[in-house]
Amino acid sequence: MSAGFQRARRPEQIEARRRVILAVARELLAERPVAEISLRELSCRVGLAKSNVLRYFDSREAIFLEVLDSAWTAWLDDLAEALGEPGPAEPGFAREERIAGTIAATLAGQPVLCELLSSMAPVLERNIPVEFARSFTRRAAANTERLGELVRVRVPELPAEAARHFAHGVVVLVSGSWPAAHPAAAVAAAGPAEPPAFGLAEGLTNLLAGLLARQG
């Protein structure tokens, strides 16, 4: 921490300090997985003591969950544009394959989002206070609901509940497939012991097509 540090007191000062901390967290995530980033390292990069960083966020995990929320909402904005306007019916499951492929392709361009989604339940939600958990859970539910609605608008035969199930499935598939696609160095060096798991686009296509077929 620099000798000239002064605690932010006004709301705009507090918000500015929070933005700096979140920006540094994003920079570190571009360099290494969240599990390898300590609060000490983040604090040093920001130029504050750990205790001062914790004046603005409840914990290290809360910082990265805030980054996750902003990355999630930004991706949904991009996805809405990438999906385009709803189109006419297509033969077979071509429509579902295209939608699932678009979701997978846009997620592939968001490594920070995928990294944080895969760490959300097993790591990041383990060290946050109840009030923050309530706030984040509401925002995560809203993001999931929006994803389901983006799909349902383009697949109107899909009931709202099924669209919601698909949106939850996207999170689950990303959470499992991202670590598998980015193994630890020793595992990667050892080579695959089994055939690689199915790709995200294939898994999402099967999920969406299956949910739609069950409505018949």
Side-chain angles (χ1 to χ4, degrees):
M1 180 181 66
S2 65
F5 168 76
Q6 292 184 343
R7 182 179 176 183
R9 297 185 183 278
R10 296 198 300 272
E12 62 272 20
Q13 292 176 324
I14 293 172
E15 184 57 31
R17 189 64 54 76
R18 284 171 58 89
R19 286 198 300 269
V20 169
I21 294 169
L22 292 173
V24 169
R26 293 185 189 94
E27 290 175 4
L28 288 168
L29 284 166
E31 300 171 7
R32 61 182 68 90
V34 65
E36 299 177 10
I37 303 172
S38 67
L39 180 60
R40 180 183 297 278
E41 180 182 15
L42 191 154
S43 302
C44 288
R45 182 78 69 94
V46 172
L48 299 176
K50 289 195 298 182
S51 59
N52 285 322
V53 170
L54 294 175
R55 293 179 186 275
Y56 304 101
F57 292 94
D58 294 306
S59 65
R60 163 192 173 273
E61 290 75 14
I63 294 170
F64 289 108
L65 286 174
E66 291 287 359
V67 175
L68 168 57
D69 181 55
S70 62
W72 201 340
T73 55
W75 170 66
L76 288 169
D77 291 340
D78 292 341
L79 178 62
E81 183 176 351
L83 287 171
E85 296 299 321
E90 300 175 43
F93 290 104
R95 175 187 56 181
E96 289 68 40
E97 185 174 3
R98 177 174 50 77
I99 291 171
T102 300
I103 293 172
T106 54
L107 281 169
Q110 299 288 338
V112 167
L113 173 60
C114 294
E115 166 70 19
L116 292 176
L117 282 174
S118 70
S119 301
M120 179 173 64
V123 178
L124 297 178
E125 293 181 337
R126 302 292 178 176
N127 185 34
I128 53 175
V130 173
E131 283 305 312
F132 181 83
R134 288 196 183 103
S135 170
F136 178 77
T137 299
R138 285 194 297 268
R139 287 179 282 165
N143 288 329
T144 304
E145 188 75 20
R146 184 182 174 196
L147 174 56
E149 186 60 22
L150 285 174
V151 173
R152 195 174 72 85
V153 165
R154 291 157 179 86
V155 188
E157 311 95 293
L158 201 63
E161 184 59 32
R164 195 174 299 117
H165 183 91
F166 174 77
H168 282 288
V170 172
V171 175
V172 170
L173 284 171
V174 170
S175 298
S177 62
W178 181 259
H182 299 80
V187 175
E194 300 176 356
F198 62 82
L200 181 59
E202 180 71 12
L204 293 178
T205 299
N206 291 340
L207 176 59
L208 183 54
L211 287 167
L212 186 61
R214 292 185 64 181
Q215 308 310 313

